[in-house]
Amino acid sequence: MELVKRARAHKARLDLSAAQSALLDGQAHAARALWNLLHEFFTFRQGRFAALKDCDTAIRQARHEIDWMGQLPAQAAQAVLKIYRQAWANYFNPDHPAARPTFKSRARSRLAVDVPQARDLHVARLNRRWGAVNLPKIGRVRFRWTKHLPGVGKDGPARRITGARLVKEADGWYIVFRTETPVSSPAPHSGPTVGIDRGIAVALALSDGSTREHGPWLTGGERERLRRLENKSARQRRFRTPGRPISGRLARTYDQIARLRATAKRRALDWQHQTAAELASTFGVIAVEDLHIRNMIASAKGTVEQPGRNVAQKSGLNRAISGQAWGRTVTLLEYKSADRGGRVVKVPAPGTSQTCHQCGHQEPANRASQAAFACRNTACGWTGNADHNAAINIRNAAGTAVSGRGDLGATRSVKRQPPRAA
């Protein structure tokens, strides 16, 4: 049986001291500043792009001439250059919808440091709850052990950690291990086909009549605390002088809000992982709508000449759609289904919620309400749950999929070339 390499990532929380956290902050800001210097050097050369060799030479020279650049490990600096060049390759690739690389803001950028080579990590398990890893210019650091890592312990050389990335979240620093494991190609999944309708009131409605729902991501007390903190931040912003840095008190309030929202995100991601794994194990083919979510959550504000209507209601709908993270649900379903020999197909979205699955009659008036469906065709007259009706239509349309992902070993060939130097 053919073996294929399966690449995965595992995220674990680091146990850092205040001094170690400050050092990582400095490295991350140095990496961000290096990106900005690269962008200026790469693009502002009399209209010509700089060559890769020139960028590498400029980095080496800057590490000798700029003191704070020395905070960043040499491998991490080279990783910044590699990611920057790949960003331009993605931008010029017509098959890759990537935005043009630009400068990174100190206030809005996510702090991160790459450890591209795994040979110096020396990952070891200390006990049931903790592991240890070497970080460049930081030293030996403990991290939360929640899952076995390939290549640690008695694993063979084929199962290994290929690198890592350090990222800062609202509640501290995390390490994301890049792992590689050889696995045999799974046998085709023999489970049934199911259609899934993603919604807000009902998170996932299945064509077999069942649903997958969740409660609020925050408890009542946490939601009340978040509301109070948001009101507090609004009061503090009223006393802020425009153009001046925010005060320490406002920064602390922002940090408290961010930690609560990060808690909600972790709980949502945990539910999505568990639900996607259960669905991928049960069904062989999973059909979902090919939704253009970015267009769905576009603002309805309009312009001065043509102001939008129902702007507040549309804003609330946009927040609700973003909170459900529909795109992430499909991403998780895709790779979990591929691991089990199944596949996910995307079907055209128009008409699925207004079409009767019994007779095929399509009419906006078929939606008697948000949750009820009543076919206006007098010869049919079927009534039932609107979400389940849409899920059945999605399942029936699985044969006309606009795209699909399945085989674990299958890869999509995409030619990505960085821009040439003039």
Side-chain angles (χ1 to χ4, degrees):
M1 185 175 291
E2 182 185 0
L3 292 179
V4 294
K5 293 182 179 180
R6 184 167 68 189
R8 289 290 182 267
H10 174 64
K11 189 175 181 180
R13 185 172 181 177
L14 293 172
D15 182 30
L16 299 174
S17 65
Q20 290 173 328
S21 181
L23 285 174
L24 267 183
D25 287 350
Q27 290 185 14
H29 283 299
R32 179 192 57 82
L34 176 59
W35 174 285
N36 291 339
L37 291 175
L38 274 173
H39 187 62
E40 183 176 3
F41 179 78
F42 190 76
T43 56
F44 293 89
R45 287 168 52 87
Q46 298 179 353
R48 298 181 302 165
F49 286 123
L52 179 62
K53 181 180 179 180
D54 294 337
C55 292
D56 181 68
T57 302
I59 290 178
R60 296 176 185 274
Q61 183 178 355
R63 287 179 57 80
H64 286 90
E65 297 179 354
I66 305 176
D67 293 337
W68 55 263
M69 192 70 73
Q71 300 179 60
L72 190 64
Q75 293 181 4
Q78 292 299 318
V80 173
L81 174 59
K82 180 180 178 180
I83 295 172
Y84 180 77
R85 295 283 296 187
Q86 186 61 50
W88 275 109
N90 295 342
Y91 172 70
F92 283 108
N93 183 358
D95 298 327
H96 197 293
R100 180 186 176 93
T102 184
F103 292 105
K104 289 189 175 182
S105 165
R106 182 184 181 90
R108 297 180 178 87
S109 299
R110 187 185 191 188
L111 296 182
V113 179
D114 272 282
V115 186
Q117 297 182 3
R119 63 189 180 192
D120 298 327
L121 291 176
H122 299 296
V123 180
R125 185 171 187 177
L126 302 179
N127 52 46
R128 186 170 64 90
R129 294 180 178 272
W130 294 98
V133 61
N134 285 351
L135 300 182
K137 297 197 174 188
I138 301 295
R140 197 72 170 165
V141 175
R142 297 197 311 168
F143 66 90
R144 287 286 293 169
W145 188 280
T146 58
K147 183 179 180 181
H148 177 71
L149 291 171
V152 180
K154 298 181 179 180
D155 286 348
R159 296 167 55 88
R160 62 196 183 100
I161 296 173
T162 61
R165 182 176 175 87
L166 310 174
V167 295
K168 188 173 186 181
E169 304 286 358
D171 56 342
W173 279 93
Y174 286 78
I175 183 169
V176 183
F177 293 102
R178 294 188 289 270
T179 65
E180 188 177 90
T181 306
V183 296
S184 56
S185 300
H189 199 300
S190 59
T193 300
V194 69
I196 298 180
D197 179 61
R198 292 165 284 173
I200 297 174
V202 178
L204 301 176
L206 277 60
S207 58
D208 61 3
S210 63
T211 61
R212 302 296 185 273
E213 301 183 60
H214 58 77
W217 303 128
L218 296 176
T219 65
E222 290 170 335
R223 292 197 299 273
E224 176 62 20
R225 182 164 182 263
L226 179 60
R227 185 189 67 83
R228 291 176 179 271
L229 286 171
E230 288 174 341
N231 290 340
K232 181 180 180 181
S233 68
R235 291 195 302 270
Q236 291 172 331
R237 284 197 301 271
R238 286 200 296 266
F239 296 97
R240 177 184 171 225
T241 303
R244 298 292 301 275
I246 64 174
S247 65
R249 292 182 178 180
L250 180 56
R252 285 193 294 272
T253 304
Y254 282 157
D255 290 341
Q256 292 172 332
I257 292 173
R259 282 194 289 270
L260 279 173
R261 290 177 175 169
T263 298
K265 182 179 178 179
R266 287 196 302 273
R267 292 171 183 170
L269 186 58
D270 179 67
W271 179 86
Q272 287 179 310
H273 269 290
Q274 295 189 40
T275 303
E278 182 258 325
L279 293 174
S281 300
T282 306
F283 302 101
V285 178
I286 300 175
V288 296
E289 292 175 297
D290 184 31
L291 299 176
H292 299 282
I293 301 175
R294 182 174 296 181
N295 296 339
M296 294 175 63
I297 61 175
S299 174
K301 189 178 297 184
T303 62
V304 176
E305 295 78 12
Q306 296 180 341
R309 296 184 300 174
N310 299 325
V311 177
Q313 293 89 330
K314 184 62 168 60
S315 299
L317 177 62
N318 292 348
R319 286 193 297 270
I321 293 175
S322 300
Q324 291 293 338
W326 291 343
R328 187 170 62 200
T329 299
V330 173
T331 300
L332 297 179
L333 282 171
E334 285 178 336
Y335 87 81
K336 292 180 187 294
S337 295
D339 289 349
R340 295 159 175 81
R343 60 194 180 99
V344 173
V345 297
K346 297 180 180 180
V347 304
T352 55
S353 63
Q354 300 175 0
T355 303
C356 176
H357 75 276
Q358 289 280 5
C359 65
H361 176 68
Q362 180 178 347
E363 183 181 344
N366 284 344
R367 292 294 296 269
S369 66
Q370 181 63 32
F373 187 94
C375 182
R376 298 296 180 178
N377 184 1
T378 56
C380 175
W382 182 87
T383 60
N385 184 274
D387 295 328
H388 293 314
N389 175 76
I392 295 174
N393 287 329
I394 295 170
R395 181 199 63 192
N396 295 340
T400 60
V402 296
S403 66
R405 290 185 62 179
D407 294 337
L408 180 65
T411 58
R412 182 172 54 185
S413 176
V414 178
K415 186 177 180 181
R416 297 179 180 178
Q417 297 292 338
R420 298 179 179 178

